[in-house]
Amino acid sequence: MRYVKDGHVARVTIDRPEVLNAMDLRTHAELAEVWDDVQADDRIRLAVLTGAGDRAFSVGQDLHERARLDAEGGPRTSFGSRGLPGHPRLTERFGLVKPVIARVDGYALGGGFELALACDLVIASDRAVFALPEAGLGLMPGAGGVFRLVRQLPLKTAMGHLLTGRRMDAAAALRFGLVNEVVPAEELDARTEAWVRDVLRCAPLSLYAIKEAALASLDLPLAEAFGTRFTWEERRRRSRDAVEGPRAFAEGREPRWAGLSADSPAQHPGAGAPEV
C-alpha cells in the first residue's frame, strides 16, 4: 500500500501493478492499518482510493496466493473477513463516516469491484471494466458484492452479472448509476480532484452525519428513519459548524469549518452508530 496524507485528504493506493493490484493477505493487513488511521485522524476528512498504474484499479483476490493456501490446507473463506488479516475490511466498515472516493482506471474485478461498490463516490475512466467473476471460479463474492450489487442495480441486471460473471464497461456502469462520472483516461485525475474539492468545501460534520443517516436508513421505513437518532447528526447539531455555516452566509464570506478539532471522537464512545 501507499498511503499519503495531503492536507485533509487521505490518498490510498493499492501498489501491486505487476499483478494488476491483486490483493493478498499482506495487502489487506496494510489496508486495515490505513483505514484505522483515516478514521482516527481528525484532520482527515475524506479518502481517495485507487490502484497503481493504468491497467487496473484492482482485480481482487490474489488467486495465486489462494491456490497456495488451498494446497496447504488453509481455511476457505465465505462472507466477510472475520478471523482474517485486515478485518474489518473497507467492505465491512459500516461505521466509517468519512467519505471515500474510488478513482477507477482499468479493471475493477472481483474484490476490486467490491471495494468500488463500498465507496461513496466512484469516478471512472472510459477504459474501466467492472465484473464479479467469482461464479466461474468456484468462489463467492463474499466481500459484499453479492449483497451490494442487488441493492445498487435492478435485480435482474444484478443477477445477470452475478450468475455469469459478465463484464460491464464504464458506460454501462454510468447508465446504471454505479459510478458518478466517466471521463477520458487522461482527464481522470483532474475530474477526481474536482470531486475532492467539492467535498472539501462542505462542512465535515455535515458530511459524516449525512453519510451515516443515508446508509443506516436504507432499509428503514421512512417514518422510522425520521424517528431515529443518529449519533453523528447529534454531534453536527451541537457543533460550531452548525452555527458557522449560516453566519458565514449572512456575512457574505467563505465558512471556516472547525470539524472535529474541538470535538474529538474519544469524547463520544460509540460514535457512528444510530440510536433507535
Side-chain angles (χ1 to χ4, degrees):
M1 296 303 306
R2 280 191 277 127
Y3 178 34
V4 176
K5 296 182 182 181
D6 179 13
H8 294 301
V9 182
R11 301 191 183 276
V12 185
T13 304
I14 304 170
D15 194 14
R16 303 186 75 209
E18 70 282 357
V19 290
L20 300 180
N21 300 314
M23 293 177 286
D24 58 6
L25 296 180
R26 175 183 170 183
T27 305
H28 285 300
E30 292 182 6
L31 262 174
E33 293 180 7
V34 167
W35 299 126
D36 285 345
D37 190 73
V38 168
Q39 188 157 326
D41 190 340
D42 290 350
R43 295 167 297 177
I44 297 299
R45 298 181 181 178
L46 77 150
V48 177
L49 174 64
T50 193
D54 58 6
R55 298 176 62 202
F57 174 72
S58 172
V59 294
Q61 182 175 191
D62 186 328
L63 294 179
H64 290 286
E65 180 184 66
R66 181 68 262 166
R68 176 177 59 78
L69 292 172
D70 287 342
E72 294 171 355
R76 294 173 183 167
T77 59
S78 184
F79 297 114
S81 60
R82 187 175 298 278
L84 298 172
H87 176 80
R89 297 173 183 173
L90 178 63
T91 50
E92 299 164 79
R93 287 189 180 241
F94 305 111
L96 179 61
V97 292
K98 296 180 180 181
V100 182
I101 299 175
R103 172 198 173 277
V104 178
D105 193 15
Y107 296 114
L109 309 180
F113 190 11
E114 290 173 304
L115 274 181
L117 289 170
C119 290
D120 304 295
L121 303 172
V122 181
I123 318 305
S125 78
D126 54 7
R127 61 190 177 195
V129 178
F130 304 88
L132 292 171
E134 283 84 352
L137 295 164
L139 301 173
M140 165 66 72
V146 72
F147 305 130
R148 284 191 168 95
L149 204 65
V150 295
R151 284 166 165 80
Q152 297 182 28
L153 286 179
L155 180 60
K156 293 297 189 292
T157 303
M159 292 301 289
H161 285 278
L162 286 166
L163 297 178
T164 66
R166 287 184 179 182
R167 296 182 175 186
M168 180 188 308
D169 63 20
L174 180 64
R175 187 168 67 251
F176 287 124
L178 289 179
V179 304
N180 296 86
E181 187 173 5
V182 173
V183 299
E186 61 272 16
E187 298 177 17
L188 182 58
D189 286 334
R191 293 306 304 158
T192 301
E193 291 310 300
W195 283 89
V196 168
R197 289 192 298 272
D198 285 348
V199 172
L200 287 180
R201 277 196 286 267
C202 298
L205 290 173
S206 289
L207 294 172
Y208 309 158
I210 289 169
K211 176 175 174 178
E212 178 197 32
L215 296 183
S217 66
L218 276 175
D219 297 322
L220 294 179
L222 191 57
E224 187 176 340
F226 271 92
T228 299
R229 289 183 57 211
F230 298 99
T231 303
W232 282 92
E233 169 54 12
E234 293 296 307
R235 294 178 66 176
R236 181 211 61 80
R237 188 169 58 87
R238 297 192 302 265
S239 72
R240 296 179 183 179
D241 289 354
V243 176
E244 170 63 10
R247 176 183 295 165
F249 179 84
E251 295 175 357
R253 60 172 174 82
E254 291 295 317
R256 295 183 289 271
W257 304 124
L260 289 169
S261 60
D263 185 27
S264 170
Q267 299 172 344
H268 300 268
E275 302 174 11
V276 180

